[in-house]
Amino acid sequence: MTDITNQPAAIERVSSGIEGFDQILHGGLIRGETYLLMGPPGAGKTIFGNQLCFHHIATGGRAIYLTLLAEMHSRMLAHMQSFDFFSTDPLADKLTYLSGYATLEQQGLDALTKLIRKEVRKQRATILVIDGVLTIEQNASSLRDRKEFLHALSVITETVGCTTLLLAQYNKEIYDQPEHTMVDGLFHLSSHLHDSRSLREIQVHKFRGSSFHEGRHSYIIGSQGIEIYPRTEALLKTRQISLPSSLMSVQPTKRMAFDLPRFDEMIDGGLPTGSMTAVLGVPGTGKTLLGLHFLCAGVGQRENGLYFGFHESPAQLRRRMTDLGLCTDDKVVNQHLEFLSQSPTEDIIDVLGEQILAVVHEKKVKRLFIDGLSGFQNAVVSQERLDLFLTSLFTTLRNLDVTTIWAIELADLLNPTIVMPASISKMAALVENIVLLRHVELYSQLYRLISIMKMRQSKYDPSVREFRISNSGLEVAPTFTSAEAILSGIAHSSESTGKQAPMDNSLILRKEQR
């Protein structure tokens, strides 16, 4: 028989009140452990410590904020009042602010240890924040004294189950100080410039007793205080998402149509459910309009859809749909179609991924149209990070059985050869389907052409077809002959040649007229 008395106690977590931080730590801090948060001045350490304390007392705990700096508590609290986590409720019986600066300066580390032991027991504290650990280093007579202080502090807090956070203004290499090796967890805040913008990142170097998301994660200091956004690919890697029945079934793949008869014919009735499609084209070729057709076709089938873009507001999109006669029933649209418009200058790509997946989960989205890639490119510092992000996002959307279209803008307006930038080529390799929209100039007239570049595990019509944009939306030619005439430079009318003319039959062009 197994002696259950020898089984280790279950780990008790302590929430920091910073959702992204708790996600990185797979649930939060561990009760009774000692942690070190370090970083340069201005990184947000004091905000972090106060945010932890205010959240802890709001959930029924008791906290002590001990500062070893010369800054007055009244001044620090005045700065904290601008954040949402600050509470004007009486703090005396739950949150105690103490200054240990004079005790340390005048009586040394032993006296500071006694002060901490006395106050932790007196206040029955379950969170202790010590701000200004560098002052201990400056006042300790030897390295041994610092180690003994840290050991005594750990014994005190572990005995009473008090979780301790040390704040240090270190900006050195890790593991070169006793504080780095003796604590149970080591967190590092950093801030650096990329071009003209400042990027803030947090990294967990160690966290005893638990797994955690490694690497750097972005954070900001906003109205809510510290807001941390774990890397999307790190979060999604650990989430278990069961495969949808459509991917497990041997039955024929369900199709997502556009309600554009000629185009649906080209793609064998629609896009395969759960697939990812890249729509490539230069500005003005109709990428957004094709995506709106896809979403509105879903609304007609009572399938929930999401538009996510960077340049047009929901009001502009609704107005365009109304003008084209798409999704005219406002009640049905409000029930089945969601619009999200994001600034193209967002600095954190994980915010974008979080917004998309939050709506996908909440609304049970089946059709997703992402209008533009530049907003994602602007939010990363390297192509490698973008590739990892997109790979993870695409995999998750497939596993959620979301059929996605992503509009990607090409630069060359009238280049007869299709040359994609390396960054777009990598992204296009991740998708199952590619649709190309392009302009072709013939005799001072622009024509629009559409073609399917690839569809994995599905048959499709590889021909190039002409299409036009009218008052009723996008219309694709019934055959490829009009596109053939345009590409060959011979655009005849049907009366003169018996062939299909360009969709604008009023235009009769002959090569001999040159």
Side-chain angles (χ1 to χ4, degrees):
M1 294 179 61
T2 302
D3 185 1
I4 60 173
T5 61
N6 294 327
Q7 297 299 314
I11 292 177
E12 184 179 345
R13 297 283 184 165
V14 178
S15 172
S16 66
I18 303 172
E19 182 180 0
F21 186 64
D22 290 345
Q23 289 177 328
I24 293 172
L25 301 183
H26 293 178
L29 302 169
I30 298 177
R31 185 174 183 266
E33 304 278 68
T34 301
Y35 302 101
L36 174 63
L37 176 67
M38 63 181 188
K45 300 181 299 298
T46 299
I47 298 172
F48 194 110
N50 277 276
Q51 194 169 345
L52 170 64
C53 289
F54 275 92
H55 172 76
H56 192 66
I57 66 173
T59 54
R62 304 176 67 85
I64 295 175
Y65 194 103
L66 174 68
T67 177
L68 302 178
L69 306 173
E71 182 182 26
M72 299 294 293
H73 292 149
S74 58
R75 185 176 181 183
M76 180 179 64
L77 287 174
H79 294 159
M80 294 300 110
Q81 289 181 23
S82 61
F83 297 109
D84 294 344
F85 64 77
F86 183 84
S87 173
T88 56
D89 295 337
L91 305 177
D93 60 336
K94 297 180 181 179
L95 175 56
T96 303
Y97 283 88
L98 295 174
S99 176
Y101 180 77
T103 301
L104 179 61
E105 286 283 325
Q106 298 170 14
Q107 304 177 51
L109 282 177
D110 287 342
L112 180 62
T113 302
K114 292 178 182 178
L115 174 65
I116 293 173
R117 181 185 296 112
K118 173 186 174 183
E119 293 296 334
V120 166
R121 291 176 175 174
K122 177 182 176 181
Q123 304 297 335
R124 305 190 308 280
T126 46
I127 282 288
L128 170 65
V129 175
I130 301 179
D131 193 353
V133 175
L134 185 59
T135 309
I136 295 176
E137 177 183 344
Q138 295 170 343
N139 284 270
S141 58
S142 66
L143 184 62
R144 179 178 178 180
D145 288 344
R146 289 166 58 191
K147 290 183 177 181
E148 289 180 350
F149 169 78
L150 290 173
H151 175 70
L153 177 65
S154 178
V155 171
I156 293 169
T157 54
E158 184 178 358
T159 301
V160 298
C162 179
T163 307
T164 302
L165 180 66
L166 310 176
L167 307 180
Q169 292 186 8
Y170 290 129
N171 194 19
K172 307 175 182 178
E173 292 296 324
I174 64 169
Y175 305 130
D176 64 349
Q177 300 293 325
E179 291 85 352
H180 301 163
T181 57
M182 295 181 68
V183 295
D184 299 299
L186 179 58
F187 319 129
H188 184 239
L189 301 177
S190 63
S191 178
H192 59 276
L193 288 176
H194 175 71
D195 294 331
S196 59
R197 57 177 172 157
S198 177
L199 299 179
R200 297 180 183 270
E201 294 177 319
I202 183 171
Q203 182 174 3
V204 178
H205 291 289
K206 75 172 182 178
F207 188 57
R208 289 175 182 161
S210 173
S211 59
F212 60 91
H213 292 306
E214 299 187 38
R216 296 179 180 178
H217 309 272
S218 299
Y219 77 95
I220 63 172
I221 300 177
S223 61
Q224 299 181 37
I226 300 288
E227 300 175 49
I228 297 176
Y229 299 94
R231 295 194 328 279
T232 299
E233 58 270 26
L235 282 182
L236 297 180
K237 183 179 180 180
T238 58
R239 291 180 183 173
Q240 298 296 324
I241 301 176
S242 58
L243 292 177
S245 58
S246 62
L247 296 182
M248 302 292 291
S249 175
V250 296
Q251 298 298 320
T253 302
K254 181 182 177 182
R255 299 280 175 164
M256 294 287 193
F258 287 74
D259 282 353
L260 296 171
R262 305 304 183 189
F263 182 65
D264 288 337
E265 288 176 5
M266 295 177 67
I267 55 177
D268 196 29
L271 300 175
T273 301
S275 65
M276 184 71 58
T277 302
V279 177
L280 309 179
V282 299
T285 48
K287 301 183 298 298
T288 300
L289 182 55
L290 184 62
L292 292 178
H293 270 285
F294 177 70
L295 293 177
C296 286
V299 171
Q301 298 294 322
R302 300 304 187 263
E303 296 168 341
N304 292 342
L306 168 63
Y307 171 94
F308 186 90
F310 297 93
H311 302 289
E312 293 188 81
S313 68
Q316 290 174 313
L317 292 164
R318 283 178 175 271
R319 188 160 51 247
R320 183 194 292 196
M321 290 162 54
T322 300
D323 292 342
L324 295 173
L326 302 175
C327 296
T328 55
D329 190 332
D330 288 340
K331 183 178 180 181
V332 177
V333 170
N334 292 336
Q335 183 179 356
H336 294 285
L337 188 53
E338 194 81 13
F339 295 91
L340 279 181
S341 183
Q342 176 65 49
S343 168
T345 58
E346 171 62 57
D347 288 338
I348 301 177
I349 194 172
D350 305 294
V351 174
L352 305 178
E354 182 180 286
Q355 289 179 334
I356 291 173
L357 292 176
V359 177
V360 166
H361 284 286
E362 179 185 355
K363 301 293 185 180
K364 295 181 172 55
V365 168
K366 305 310 295 180
R367 295 183 182 230
L368 169 63
F369 175 50
I370 303 176
D371 195 2
L373 181 63
S374 60
F376 293 88
Q377 292 173 322
N378 294 338
V380 293
V381 297
S382 68
Q383 180 63 38
E384 291 75 15
R385 174 72 216 283
L386 180 61
D387 293 342
L388 290 172
F389 171 86
L390 293 178
T391 300
S392 179
L393 180 62
F394 288 179
T395 300
T396 300
L397 290 171
R398 289 188 189 99
N399 290 343
L400 292 171
D401 207 21
V402 178
T403 308
T404 305
I405 294 180
W406 200 314
I408 303 175
E409 191 166 290
L410 300 178
D412 294 332
L413 290 175
L414 298 172
N415 193 338
T417 60
I418 304 169
V419 180
M420 289 186 290
S423 59
I424 294 179
S425 296
K426 288 183 179 180
M427 188 259 185
L430 300 175
V431 304
E432 290 87 356
N433 318 310
I434 299 179
V435 178
L436 176 65
L437 307 179
R438 52 178 161 157
H439 285 129
V440 174
E441 183 269 338
L442 177 62
Y443 300 118
S444 303
Q445 174 102 10
L446 284 181
Y447 294 88
R448 292 183 173 91
L449 301 180
I450 187 170
S451 56
I452 313 300
M453 295 182 66
K454 78 170 183 178
M455 284 191 74
R456 290 180 189 161
Q457 300 179 346
S458 174
K459 64 179 181 179
Y460 63 94
D461 181 357
S463 65
V464 179
R465 296 203 193 187
E466 183 190 1
F467 74 96
R468 67 182 178 184
I469 298 174
S470 68
N471 292 334
S472 57
L474 193 147
E475 299 176 11
V476 179
T479 69
F480 67 88
T481 52
S482 63
E484 181 183 37
I486 292 169
L487 292 173
S488 66
I490 307 174
H492 298 288
S493 69
S494 56
E495 290 86 351
S496 60
T497 66
K499 296 181 179 180
Q500 177 69 34
M503 296 182 71
D504 185 357
N505 289 320
S506 64
L507 180 64
I508 302 176
L509 297 174
R510 294 180 181 275
K511 191 174 182 179
E512 295 80 9
Q513 291 175 344
R514 288 186 173 182

